[in-house]
Amino acid sequence: MSATATATPSMMATAIRALAMDAVQAANSGHPGAPMGMADIAVALWGRHLRHNPTNPHWADRDRFVLSNGHGSMLIYSLLHLTGYALPIEELKAFRQMHSKTPGHPEVGMTAGVETTTGPLGQGITNAVGLALAEKLLARDFNRDGHTVVNHNTFAFLGDGCLMEGISHEACALAGVWKLNKLIAIYDDNGISIDGKVEPWFGDNTAQRFAAYGWNVIGPVDGHNVDAVDDAIAKAKKSADKPTLIIAKTTIGKGSPNRAGTAKAHGEALGPDEIKLTREALGWTHEPFVIPAEVYAAWDAKASGAKLEAAWDERFAAYAKAHPELAAEFKRRMAGQVPANFAQAAVDAVIKANTEAQTVASRKASQLALEAFTAAVPELLGGSADLTGSNLTNTSHTPNLRFDAAGLPNNGRHVNYGVREFGMAAIMNGVALHGGFIPYGGTFLTFSDYSRNAIRMAALMKIRVIHVMTHDSIGVGEDGPTHQPVEHVSSLRLIPGLDVWRPGDTAETVVAWTMAIGNATRPSLLALSRQNISYAAKTNVDEIAKGAYVLSEPAKGKAKAVIIATGSEVQLALKAQEQLAAEGIKVRVVSMPSTSVFDRQDKAYKKAVLPKGLPRIAVEMGVSDYWWKYGCAAVVGIDSFGESGPAPELFKHFGFTAENVAATVKAVLKG
C-alpha cells in the first residue's frame, strides 16, 4: 500500500482516532483511549507490513493479527473498514448495537478479518502463541525444498491488562522455548488502566521479563513515531529463533486535549464538547464518520492484497505440480475436513471396542481410541499440562514435540505444556483458529477451573478443540477433595455450545472421540475415569452418538422406572437393575454419555429413551442439581466435597453402591 501525497501517515492515524471517538460517542459506550493511543502503531503495521487481502479474509498464507486488548475494538474495526474489508461505515455507526458486525469486543465469525474473539485480557496474546505455533508446524509438514507455501507472521497488540493476567506468563514462556520467531507482539505501554495510573499495582520490568522468556525485546520506542515503529517491526521480522516484543510508549487517548493520558480516556465516551476540542486539536474538520477520499485511497489494501495472494497462488500451483499429494492434503486440512478414511477408522474402532469388551479405565479407553485416530488423522495435535502419564494423551503416532537450537521443530505431535492448564486451553484455541490442526490437550477434570474461561471462549467461537479431562470423580481416591471433581461436569455442561462427554466404557469413549473429531463447529470435553469400568454389552452402538440410549431393558415385561447413569456409574445402574429384577422390579437402564447431544435430538427419540409416566432416577458422582431438568424423581449424587481415602471406601461412604441405587428406586416406586 502506498499513501498519496496528501494523505500523510498523520492523516491516516487521525482517521482512526476520529472513527474511534465518533463510534464510541454514538454508542455512548466503549473504549476510545486505546485506539486513539495506538493509531500510529496501526499505521506502521497495517500500512507498511501486514500481508493480507481484504477481498479474501481466509487466504491461507495471510499474516494473522490479534487485538489482545480487545476492549479497543474500534481500532480493528477502523482498520478493517479503511483497508477495504466488508465492513461498511454503517456498521461503524452501529458500534455495539444489536445485530451489527461491530460488537463491543471483536468476535471471530462475526466480522470479516477478525481472527479471534478477544476481550478477556491475556487470552488474545495466548491465542497468538497458538497461531504462531500452528504456522511453524504447518510449515514443517508442508514446505519442501524450493517450495515455501506456509510463511507468515502473527502480530498481536496488547496492553498492561494482558500482561497483568497470569495467562500471559504461561503462554509467553512457552513461546520462548518454542522459538516462535514469527510471533511479533507490540505492547501499548501507556501506563493507564481503568483504575488510573498502573504504577502502584504494576511495577514489572516487562523488558527483563520477556528477555528471561527467551524473547527479543525492542524498545521502548516512541509509539507515536510511525517510522520508529516501522523500523522496530522490520527488525523483529528478521528474527530467526526468537519471538519479539516491541515496547511502544504511547499516550492513551492521544489527541484529546483534556482526556489524553488519563483513565477517563480508557472506558467512556469523550463527550460532544471534548470531541469538538479534539477535532480542532487534530485539525480534523470533517463531520462524524466522514473520511476524505485521499485517506481511503492511502489505506486501501485491496489491490496490494490481491497481488500478494496472486503471487502465492502461483507458488502454490508450482508446489501442487511438484507435490500433488501434499497440495491436496494441505487444502483438505486448511478446509477443516477430516480424512476420507476417518469414518472407517471410527467404525473399526467401535467394532473393536464392542468385540473385545475390555474392562479398562475410560482414560485408557481414550488412549486406545487415539491410537486409531492419530494414525488416521495426521492433523490431530495432542498434549497435556504435565500429566501425560495420567491423561494418556500420547500414542505411538505422536512423539513429543521438540525444537532444536535453530528453532526448527522435530516431527512431534504431542505438546508438553507444563503446568499451564489455562495457557494450554487458550493456545489450543489459537491452533484451531489458524487451521490445519485439530488440537487436544489433557489435565485433571478438577483443574478445568483453571482453564474454564478459555473453554468458554472456544464454545463462543464455535471452534473444534478437544479437552481430555481425566480423574473425573471421587474415584480419584486418596488424593482427596482437592483433586476430586464434584461440581465440575455439571458446571461445564452449562456452557452453551460445549459438548461434554462422560463415557461409560470403551465403545462410548470411541464414539465420544469420533463425535469430537468430526464436529467442526463445537469444542468437546471428555470426562474420563481413573478407575476401571466394566464393559456393558450393546445391541446398537449407533445410538451412542445420540448422547443417550437405552442400554438395558428388563428381561421380561415392561419397565416400571428408568435409571439414568453416566460414566463409571453405568455399571452401578446395571447391577442395581439385576438386584431389582431378582425382587420382581423391572427397570430400564439409560446410559447418557452426553447430555447436550441428547438434548439436540428430536422429541420422538427423547420420548422413546425417556418415556413419559416412568419415574426417573439419575446416578452420577457429582452435584445432584443438574439432573432435575430431566424430571427425575430422585438423584443419587454428591452435594458435598469428597474425602481422602481408597475409592471403594468412598463409594460406599457416599452411597455409590448398587444396593443404594436399588433402594432409591424402590423408595421412588413406593411413593
Side-chain angles (χ1 to χ4, degrees), residues 278-329:
T278 303
R279 275 185 150 75
E280 293 173 356
L282 293 172
W284 191 260
T285 59
H286 313 288
E287 294 296 313
F289 298 105
V290 173
I291 304 295
E294 62 268 25
V295 175
Y296 273 126
W299 271 115
D300 190 358
K302 293 192 295 294
S304 59
K307 185 177 181 180
L308 287 169
E309 184 174 358
W312 181 83
D313 286 342
E314 289 185 13
R315 294 196 301 274
F316 191 83
Y319 173 74
K321 186 175 181 179
H323 304 282
E325 292 183 359
L326 278 175
E329 180 73 352

Short mmCIF file of all heavy atoms in Angstrom, two decimals, residues 278-329:
data_model
loop_
_atom_site.label_atom_id
_atom_site.label_comp_id
_atom_site.label_asym_id
_atom_site.label_seq_id
_atom_site.Cartn_x
_atom_site.Cartn_y
_atom_site.Cartn_z
N THR A 278 -11.15 18.02 20.42
CA THR A 278 -10.19 17.06 19.85
C THR A 278 -10.09 17.24 18.34
O THR A 278 -8.99 17.21 17.77
CB THR A 278 -10.60 15.62 20.19
OG1 THR A 278 -10.71 15.47 21.61
CG2 THR A 278 -9.60 14.61 19.65
N ARG A 279 -11.23 17.45 17.69
CA ARG A 279 -11.21 17.69 16.25
C ARG A 279 -10.37 18.92 15.93
O ARG A 279 -9.59 18.93 14.97
CB ARG A 279 -12.63 17.86 15.73
CG ARG A 279 -13.33 16.56 15.39
CD ARG A 279 -14.70 16.81 14.74
NE ARG A 279 -15.05 15.74 13.83
CZ ARG A 279 -15.44 14.53 14.21
NH1 ARG A 279 -15.57 14.29 15.52
NH2 ARG A 279 -15.70 13.59 13.32
N GLU A 280 -10.55 19.94 16.72
CA GLU A 280 -9.78 21.17 16.50
C GLU A 280 -8.30 20.93 16.73
O GLU A 280 -7.45 21.38 15.94
CB GLU A 280 -10.30 22.27 17.43
CG GLU A 280 -11.72 22.74 17.11
CD GLU A 280 -12.26 23.70 18.15
OE1 GLU A 280 -11.55 23.93 19.16
OE2 GLU A 280 -13.39 24.20 17.98
N ALA A 281 -7.97 20.19 17.79
CA ALA A 281 -6.57 19.93 18.10
C ALA A 281 -5.90 19.09 17.02
O ALA A 281 -4.71 19.26 16.72
CB ALA A 281 -6.47 19.24 19.46
N LEU A 282 -6.66 18.17 16.43
CA LEU A 282 -6.11 17.29 15.40
C LEU A 282 -6.18 17.90 14.00
O LEU A 282 -5.62 17.35 13.06
CB LEU A 282 -6.87 15.95 15.39
CG LEU A 282 -6.72 15.06 16.62
CD1 LEU A 282 -7.68 13.88 16.55
CD2 LEU A 282 -5.28 14.56 16.74
N GLY A 283 -6.87 19.01 13.88
CA GLY A 283 -7.04 19.61 12.57
C GLY A 283 -7.95 18.78 11.67
O GLY A 283 -7.81 18.80 10.44
N TRP A 284 -8.88 18.08 12.29
CA TRP A 284 -9.81 17.20 11.56
C TRP A 284 -11.16 17.91 11.48
O TRP A 284 -11.93 17.92 12.41
CB TRP A 284 -9.94 15.87 12.29
CG TRP A 284 -10.66 14.79 11.52
CD1 TRP A 284 -11.94 14.39 11.67
CD2 TRP A 284 -10.10 13.95 10.51
NE1 TRP A 284 -12.24 13.37 10.80
CE2 TRP A 284 -11.12 13.07 10.07
CE3 TRP A 284 -8.84 13.86 9.90
CZ2 TRP A 284 -10.92 12.11 9.08
CZ3 TRP A 284 -8.65 12.90 8.92
CH2 TRP A 284 -9.67 12.04 8.51
N THR A 285 -11.43 18.50 10.33
CA THR A 285 -12.61 19.35 10.19
C THR A 285 -13.84 18.62 9.67
O THR A 285 -14.89 19.24 9.48
CB THR A 285 -12.29 20.51 9.23
OG1 THR A 285 -11.91 19.97 7.95
CG2 THR A 285 -11.14 21.36 9.77
N HIS A 286 -13.74 17.35 9.47
CA HIS A 286 -14.82 16.58 8.86
C HIS A 286 -15.90 16.21 9.88
O HIS A 286 -15.65 16.11 11.07
CB HIS A 286 -14.25 15.32 8.20
CG HIS A 286 -13.05 15.58 7.36
ND1 HIS A 286 -13.12 16.22 6.14
CD2 HIS A 286 -11.73 15.32 7.58
CE1 HIS A 286 -11.90 16.33 5.64
NE2 HIS A 286 -11.04 15.80 6.49
N GLU A 287 -17.09 15.99 9.36
CA GLU A 287 -18.20 15.57 10.20
C GLU A 287 -17.96 14.15 10.72
O GLU A 287 -17.13 13.41 10.19
CB GLU A 287 -19.50 15.62 9.40
CG GLU A 287 -19.94 17.02 8.98
CD GLU A 287 -20.25 17.88 10.18
OE1 GLU A 287 -20.98 17.40 11.07
OE2 GLU A 287 -19.75 19.03 10.23
N PRO A 288 -18.70 13.75 11.75
CA PRO A 288 -18.54 12.38 12.26
C PRO A 288 -18.72 11.34 11.17
O PRO A 288 -19.61 11.46 10.32
CB PRO A 288 -19.65 12.28 13.32
CG PRO A 288 -19.83 13.69 13.80
CD PRO A 288 -19.63 14.55 12.59
N PHE A 289 -17.84 10.36 11.17
CA PHE A 289 -17.86 9.21 10.26
C PHE A 289 -17.59 9.60 8.80
O PHE A 289 -17.84 8.80 7.90
CB PHE A 289 -19.19 8.45 10.35
CG PHE A 289 -19.46 7.86 11.70
CD1 PHE A 289 -20.40 8.45 12.55
CD2 PHE A 289 -18.77 6.74 12.14
CE1 PHE A 289 -20.65 7.92 13.81
CE2 PHE A 289 -19.02 6.20 13.40
CZ PHE A 289 -19.96 6.79 14.23
N VAL A 290 -17.06 10.77 8.57
CA VAL A 290 -16.69 11.18 7.21
C VAL A 290 -15.18 11.06 7.07
O VAL A 290 -14.42 11.64 7.86
CB VAL A 290 -17.15 12.61 6.90
CG1 VAL A 290 -16.59 13.06 5.56
CG2 VAL A 290 -18.67 12.70 6.91
N ILE A 291 -14.74 10.29 6.06
CA ILE A 291 -13.32 10.09 5.78
C ILE A 291 -13.04 10.59 4.37
O ILE A 291 -13.70 10.18 3.41
CB ILE A 291 -12.94 8.59 5.87
CG1 ILE A 291 -13.32 8.01 7.24
CG2 ILE A 291 -11.45 8.40 5.60
CD1 ILE A 291 -12.59 8.61 8.40
N PRO A 292 -12.07 11.49 4.20
CA PRO A 292 -11.76 12.01 2.87
C PRO A 292 -11.31 10.91 1.91
O PRO A 292 -10.73 9.90 2.34
CB PRO A 292 -10.61 12.99 3.12
CG PRO A 292 -10.71 13.32 4.57
CD PRO A 292 -11.24 12.11 5.25
N ALA A 293 -11.58 11.11 0.64
CA ALA A 293 -11.25 10.10 -0.37
C ALA A 293 -9.76 9.78 -0.39
O ALA A 293 -9.36 8.62 -0.58
CB ALA A 293 -11.70 10.59 -1.75
N GLU A 294 -8.92 10.79 -0.19
CA GLU A 294 -7.48 10.54 -0.24
C GLU A 294 -7.01 9.66 0.92
O GLU A 294 -6.03 8.91 0.79
CB GLU A 294 -6.70 11.86 -0.28
CG GLU A 294 -6.85 12.76 0.93
CD GLU A 294 -7.99 13.77 0.77
OE1 GLU A 294 -8.94 13.50 -0.01
OE2 GLU A 294 -7.91 14.83 1.42
N VAL A 295 -7.71 9.75 2.06
CA VAL A 295 -7.35 8.89 3.20
C VAL A 295 -7.77 7.45 2.91
O VAL A 295 -7.03 6.50 3.17
CB VAL A 295 -7.98 9.41 4.50
CG1 VAL A 295 -7.72 8.45 5.65
CG2 VAL A 295 -7.43 10.79 4.83
N TYR A 296 -8.97 7.29 2.36
CA TYR A 296 -9.39 5.95 1.95
C TYR A 296 -8.38 5.36 0.96
O TYR A 296 -8.02 4.19 1.04
CB TYR A 296 -10.77 6.00 1.31
CG TYR A 296 -11.93 5.89 2.28
CD1 TYR A 296 -12.94 6.85 2.29
CD2 TYR A 296 -12.03 4.81 3.16
CE1 TYR A 296 -14.01 6.75 3.16
CE2 TYR A 296 -13.10 4.70 4.03
CZ TYR A 296 -14.09 5.67 4.04
OH TYR A 296 -15.15 5.57 4.90
N ALA A 297 -7.95 6.18 0.00
CA ALA A 297 -7.02 5.70 -1.02
C ALA A 297 -5.69 5.27 -0.39
O ALA A 297 -5.08 4.27 -0.81
CB ALA A 297 -6.78 6.78 -2.06
N ALA A 298 -5.26 6.02 0.62
CA ALA A 298 -3.99 5.69 1.27
C ALA A 298 -4.08 4.37 2.04
O ALA A 298 -3.14 3.59 2.08
CB ALA A 298 -3.58 6.82 2.22
N TRP A 299 -5.23 4.12 2.64
CA TRP A 299 -5.42 2.92 3.45
C TRP A 299 -5.77 1.69 2.62
O TRP A 299 -5.52 0.55 3.04
CB TRP A 299 -6.52 3.13 4.48
CG TRP A 299 -6.06 3.70 5.79
CD1 TRP A 299 -6.38 4.90 6.34
CD2 TRP A 299 -5.21 3.05 6.74
NE1 TRP A 299 -5.79 5.06 7.57
CE2 TRP A 299 -5.06 3.93 7.83
CE3 TRP A 299 -4.54 1.84 6.77
CZ2 TRP A 299 -4.28 3.62 8.95
CZ3 TRP A 299 -3.76 1.52 7.88
CH2 TRP A 299 -3.64 2.41 8.95
N ASP A 300 -6.36 1.88 1.47
CA ASP A 300 -6.93 0.77 0.69
C ASP A 300 -5.88 -0.31 0.41
O ASP A 300 -4.86 -0.05 -0.21
CB ASP A 300 -7.50 1.30 -0.62
CG ASP A 300 -8.33 0.26 -1.37
OD1 ASP A 300 -8.42 -0.88 -0.87
OD2 ASP A 300 -8.87 0.59 -2.43
N ALA A 301 -6.18 -1.53 0.87
CA ALA A 301 -5.24 -2.65 0.68
C ALA A 301 -5.78 -3.71 -0.25
O ALA A 301 -5.19 -4.79 -0.37
CB ALA A 301 -4.90 -3.26 2.04
N LYS A 302 -6.88 -3.44 -0.92
CA LYS A 302 -7.49 -4.49 -1.77
C LYS A 302 -6.58 -4.86 -2.94
O LYS A 302 -6.37 -6.04 -3.22
CB LYS A 302 -8.86 -4.02 -2.28
CG LYS A 302 -9.91 -3.87 -1.19
CD LYS A 302 -11.31 -3.69 -1.75
CE LYS A 302 -11.46 -2.40 -2.53
NZ LYS A 302 -11.31 -1.20 -1.64
N ALA A 303 -6.05 -3.88 -3.63
CA ALA A 303 -5.22 -4.19 -4.80
C ALA A 303 -3.92 -4.85 -4.39
O ALA A 303 -3.51 -5.87 -4.97
CB ALA A 303 -4.94 -2.90 -5.59
N SER A 304 -3.27 -4.30 -3.38
CA SER A 304 -1.99 -4.88 -2.94
C SER A 304 -2.22 -6.27 -2.35
O SER A 304 -1.40 -7.18 -2.55
CB SER A 304 -1.32 -3.97 -1.91
OG SER A 304 -2.14 -3.76 -0.78
N GLY A 305 -3.33 -6.45 -1.63
CA GLY A 305 -3.62 -7.76 -1.06
C GLY A 305 -3.90 -8.80 -2.12
O GLY A 305 -3.44 -9.95 -2.02
N ALA A 306 -4.65 -8.40 -3.15
CA ALA A 306 -4.93 -9.33 -4.24
C ALA A 306 -3.64 -9.74 -4.96
O ALA A 306 -3.47 -10.90 -5.37
CB ALA A 306 -5.91 -8.70 -5.22
N LYS A 307 -2.73 -8.79 -5.09
CA LYS A 307 -1.44 -9.08 -5.73
C LYS A 307 -0.63 -10.06 -4.90
O LYS A 307 -0.01 -10.99 -5.44
CB LYS A 307 -0.67 -7.77 -5.94
CG LYS A 307 0.63 -7.92 -6.70
CD LYS A 307 1.29 -6.57 -6.93
CE LYS A 307 2.59 -6.71 -7.71
NZ LYS A 307 3.26 -5.41 -7.93
N LEU A 308 -0.62 -9.87 -3.57
CA LEU A 308 0.10 -10.78 -2.69
C LEU A 308 -0.47 -12.20 -2.79
O LEU A 308 0.28 -13.18 -2.90
CB LEU A 308 0.01 -10.30 -1.24
CG LEU A 308 0.83 -9.08 -0.85
CD1 LEU A 308 0.43 -8.58 0.53
CD2 LEU A 308 2.33 -9.42 -0.87
N GLU A 309 -1.80 -12.30 -2.79
CA GLU A 309 -2.41 -13.62 -2.86
C GLU A 309 -2.18 -14.26 -4.22
O GLU A 309 -1.95 -15.48 -4.33
CB GLU A 309 -3.90 -13.55 -2.56
CG GLU A 309 -4.54 -14.93 -2.52
CD GLU A 309 -5.98 -14.92 -2.08
OE1 GLU A 309 -6.52 -13.84 -1.74
OE2 GLU A 309 -6.59 -16.01 -2.07
N ALA A 310 -2.23 -13.46 -5.28
CA ALA A 310 -2.00 -14.00 -6.62
C ALA A 310 -0.59 -14.57 -6.75
O ALA A 310 -0.38 -15.63 -7.37
CB ALA A 310 -2.23 -12.91 -7.67
N ALA A 311 0.37 -13.89 -6.14
CA ALA A 311 1.75 -14.39 -6.17
C ALA A 311 1.85 -15.71 -5.41
O ALA A 311 2.55 -16.64 -5.84
CB ALA A 311 2.69 -13.35 -5.57
N TRP A 312 1.13 -15.79 -4.30
CA TRP A 312 1.12 -17.05 -3.54
C TRP A 312 0.44 -18.15 -4.35
O TRP A 312 0.88 -19.31 -4.33
CB TRP A 312 0.42 -16.85 -2.20
CG TRP A 312 0.40 -18.10 -1.35
CD1 TRP A 312 1.40 -18.54 -0.53
CD2 TRP A 312 -0.66 -19.06 -1.26
NE1 TRP A 312 1.03 -19.72 0.08
CE2 TRP A 312 -0.22 -20.07 -0.35
CE3 TRP A 312 -1.91 -19.18 -1.85
CZ2 TRP A 312 -1.02 -21.17 -0.03
CZ3 TRP A 312 -2.70 -20.28 -1.53
CH2 TRP A 312 -2.26 -21.26 -0.64
N ASP A 313 -0.64 -17.80 -5.03
CA ASP A 313 -1.34 -18.78 -5.86
C ASP A 313 -0.39 -19.39 -6.90
O ASP A 313 -0.44 -20.60 -7.18
CB ASP A 313 -2.53 -18.14 -6.56
CG ASP A 313 -3.70 -17.88 -5.62
OD1 ASP A 313 -3.74 -18.48 -4.52
OD2 ASP A 313 -4.57 -17.05 -5.99
N GLU A 314 0.45 -18.56 -7.48
CA GLU A 314 1.42 -19.05 -8.46
C GLU A 314 2.41 -20.01 -7.81
O GLU A 314 2.73 -21.07 -8.37
CB GLU A 314 2.18 -17.89 -9.11
CG GLU A 314 1.34 -17.05 -10.06
CD GLU A 314 2.17 -15.98 -10.76
OE1 GLU A 314 3.42 -16.06 -10.68
OE2 GLU A 314 1.58 -15.07 -11.37
N ARG A 315 2.87 -19.65 -6.61
CA ARG A 315 3.80 -20.53 -5.89
C ARG A 315 3.12 -21.85 -5.52
O ARG A 315 3.72 -22.92 -5.62
CB ARG A 315 4.32 -19.84 -4.63
CG ARG A 315 5.19 -18.62 -4.90
CD ARG A 315 6.01 -18.21 -3.69
NE ARG A 315 5.18 -17.88 -2.54
CZ ARG A 315 4.65 -16.68 -2.31
NH1 ARG A 315 4.86 -15.69 -3.19
NH2 ARG A 315 3.93 -16.45 -1.23
N PHE A 316 1.87 -21.75 -5.13
CA PHE A 316 1.17 -22.97 -4.73
C PHE A 316 0.90 -23.86 -5.95
O PHE A 316 0.94 -25.09 -5.84
CB PHE A 316 -0.15 -22.64 -4.02
CG PHE A 316 -0.78 -23.83 -3.35
CD1 PHE A 316 -0.36 -24.24 -2.09
CD2 PHE A 316 -1.76 -24.57 -4.00
CE1 PHE A 316 -0.92 -25.36 -1.48
CE2 PHE A 316 -2.32 -25.69 -3.40
CZ PHE A 316 -1.90 -26.08 -2.13
N ALA A 317 0.63 -23.26 -7.09
CA ALA A 317 0.42 -24.04 -8.30
C ALA A 317 1.68 -24.83 -8.66
O ALA A 317 1.60 -26.02 -9.04
CB ALA A 317 0.01 -23.13 -9.45
N ALA A 318 2.83 -24.18 -8.52
CA ALA A 318 4.10 -24.88 -8.78
C ALA A 318 4.32 -25.98 -7.75
O ALA A 318 4.80 -27.08 -8.08
CB ALA A 318 5.26 -23.87 -8.75
N TYR A 319 3.96 -25.70 -6.52
CA TYR A 319 4.06 -26.69 -5.44
C TYR A 319 3.16 -27.89 -5.74
O TYR A 319 3.57 -29.05 -5.59
CB TYR A 319 3.65 -26.01 -4.13
CG TYR A 319 3.53 -26.91 -2.92
CD1 TYR A 319 4.67 -27.40 -2.28
CD2 TYR A 319 2.28 -27.20 -2.39
CE1 TYR A 319 4.55 -28.19 -1.15
CE2 TYR A 319 2.16 -27.99 -1.24
CZ TYR A 319 3.29 -28.48 -0.63
OH TYR A 319 3.18 -29.26 0.50
N ALA A 320 1.92 -27.62 -6.16
CA ALA A 320 0.98 -28.69 -6.46
C ALA A 320 1.47 -29.56 -7.61
O ALA A 320 1.22 -30.77 -7.64
CB ALA A 320 -0.39 -28.10 -6.78
N LYS A 321 2.16 -28.95 -8.55
CA LYS A 321 2.70 -29.72 -9.68
C LYS A 321 3.83 -30.63 -9.22
O LYS A 321 3.94 -31.78 -9.67
CB LYS A 321 3.19 -28.76 -10.76
CG LYS A 321 3.64 -29.45 -12.04
CD LYS A 321 4.01 -28.44 -13.11
CE LYS A 321 4.43 -29.13 -14.40
NZ LYS A 321 4.78 -28.14 -15.47
N ALA A 322 4.64 -30.10 -8.31
CA ALA A 322 5.78 -30.89 -7.82
C ALA A 322 5.36 -31.90 -6.76
O ALA A 322 5.93 -32.99 -6.65
CB ALA A 322 6.86 -29.96 -7.28
N HIS A 323 4.38 -31.53 -5.94
CA HIS A 323 3.96 -32.38 -4.82
C HIS A 323 2.43 -32.44 -4.77
O HIS A 323 1.80 -31.87 -3.86
CB HIS A 323 4.50 -31.84 -3.50
CG HIS A 323 5.99 -31.67 -3.46
ND1 HIS A 323 6.86 -32.74 -3.28
CD2 HIS A 323 6.78 -30.56 -3.59
CE1 HIS A 323 8.10 -32.30 -3.29
NE2 HIS A 323 8.09 -30.98 -3.48
N PRO A 324 1.80 -33.10 -5.72
CA PRO A 324 0.33 -33.07 -5.79
C PRO A 324 -0.37 -33.63 -4.56
O PRO A 324 -1.40 -33.10 -4.14
CB PRO A 324 0.03 -33.90 -7.04
CG PRO A 324 1.25 -34.72 -7.28
CD PRO A 324 2.40 -33.90 -6.80
N GLU A 325 0.16 -34.69 -3.98
CA GLU A 325 -0.49 -35.27 -2.81
C GLU A 325 -0.41 -34.34 -1.61
O GLU A 325 -1.39 -34.18 -0.86
CB GLU A 325 0.14 -36.62 -2.48
CG GLU A 325 -0.15 -37.70 -3.52
CD GLU A 325 0.43 -39.04 -3.13
OE1 GLU A 325 1.06 -39.13 -2.06
OE2 GLU A 325 0.26 -40.01 -3.91
N LEU A 326 0.74 -33.71 -1.42
CA LEU A 326 0.89 -32.76 -0.33
C LEU A 326 -0.04 -31.56 -0.51
O LEU A 326 -0.64 -31.07 0.45
CB LEU A 326 2.35 -32.28 -0.23
CG LEU A 326 3.33 -33.18 0.52
CD1 LEU A 326 4.74 -32.62 0.42
CD2 LEU A 326 2.93 -33.33 1.98
N ALA A 327 -0.13 -31.09 -1.74
CA ALA A 327 -1.00 -29.94 -2.00
C ALA A 327 -2.45 -30.27 -1.70
O ALA A 327 -3.18 -29.46 -1.09
CB ALA A 327 -0.86 -29.50 -3.46
N ALA A 328 -2.89 -31.45 -2.09
CA ALA A 328 -4.27 -31.85 -1.80
C ALA A 328 -4.48 -31.99 -0.30
O ALA A 328 -5.54 -31.61 0.23
CB ALA A 328 -4.57 -33.17 -2.51
N GLU A 329 -3.48 -32.52 0.38
CA GLU A 329 -3.59 -32.68 1.83
C GLU A 329 -3.63 -31.31 2.53
O GLU A 329 -4.38 -31.11 3.49
CB GLU A 329 -2.40 -33.50 2.34
CG GLU A 329 -2.38 -33.75 3.83
CD GLU A 329 -3.41 -34.75 4.31
OE1 GLU A 329 -4.28 -35.17 3.51
OE2 GLU A 329 -3.37 -35.12 5.49
#
